[in-house]
Amino acid sequence: MAGNRDRFSTFSTATRLKQLGERTAAHVYRSQTRRQVRRSRLTGRAALLVLVLCTLVVALAYPMRQYVSQRSEIAEQRRAAEAASRRLERLRDEKARWQDNAYAEQQARKHLHFVRPGEISYIMTDPGAGAAERHRTGAAGSDRPWYSNVWDGVDKADRPGE
């Protein structure tokens, strides 16, 4: 019986080892399967996260574009307002100068050739300038009818850059 017991105990130890190996293999297989399931779940979550982020980017792209364009328009309007305020300040200064009688008299003398009673005004003309004007218009002013000269004056008034 002692021999049987050794054989039985050996058999049972071998059987136990075999069962233990099978259990370990099954456990390893189950853990690998769980990892694969977890990976697929993580991949699904990542795909959902990417989808949500893309949706947010697409949803916010137009408002962000509008925001940026409106900010640039606001900056442009502020620059225009600053330029207008500078121009307004210059015009106020000019208005204040025109309130002074001495400045108004100076401008009248300069541009309208006004003189005080008893003064003599001399105007010097450049003879070359008159020839250039006649050459540009094609004829002398006195060689044409008066109404042509009037209409030429109106045309010149319409083109202030010349």
Side-chain angles (χ1 to χ4, degrees):
M1 280 252 193
N4 275 345
R5 198 186 285 178
D6 286 339
R7 203 174 102 208
F8 182 70
S9 66
T10 306
F11 176 73
S12 65
T13 305
T15 304
R16 282 187 212 144
L17 284 174
K18 184 177 178 186
Q19 288 174 353
L20 184 62
E22 287 174 359
R23 275 191 246 140
T24 306
H27 182 67
V28 168
Y29 177 74
R30 275 192 307 237
S31 69
Q32 287 178 348
T33 307
R34 285 183 192 153
R35 284 186 197 145
Q36 289 173 353
V37 169
R38 285 183 191 154
R39 283 186 192 148
S40 66
R41 232 187 268 156
L42 184 61
T43 304
R45 287 180 185 168
L48 182 63
L49 181 63
V50 168
L51 180 66
V52 168
L53 287 175
C54 289
T55 304
L56 285 174
V57 166
V58 168
L60 294 177
Y62 182 72
M64 286 303 292
R65 187 175 140 262
Q66 290 293 334
Y67 174 77
V68 169
S69 68
Q70 288 175 357
R71 294 302 297 174
S72 66
E73 287 178 18
I74 289 170
E76 182 179 329
Q77 291 297 324
R78 284 185 179 156
R79 284 191 296 271
E82 288 173 4
S85 67
R86 286 192 301 268
R87 184 170 185 271
L88 177 66
E89 201 58 40
R90 282 194 310 269
L91 290 173
R92 283 183 179 159
D93 290 344
E94 187 175 347
K95 180 182 175 186
R97 282 193 306 253
W98 279 101
Q99 298 298 321
D100 182 21
N101 289 336
Y103 181 78
E105 181 182 341
Q106 177 191 15
Q107 294 300 314
R109 286 173 168 270
K110 181 178 178 184
H111 295 289
L112 302 175
H113 306 292
F114 280 14
V115 291
R116 289 180 175 257
E119 292 181 344
I120 299 173
S121 174
Y122 295 101
I123 299 176
M124 310 247 334
T125 58
D126 184 11
E133 178 67 24
R134 280 191 299 270
H135 179 67
R136 190 176 66 82
T137 58
S142 61
D143 296 343
R144 300 181 313 167
W146 66 270
Y147 50 85
S148 296
N149 292 335
V150 170
W151 283 116
D152 284 345
V154 171
D155 288 340
K156 282 182 187 177
D158 286 341
R159 296 177 298 213
E162 291 183 9

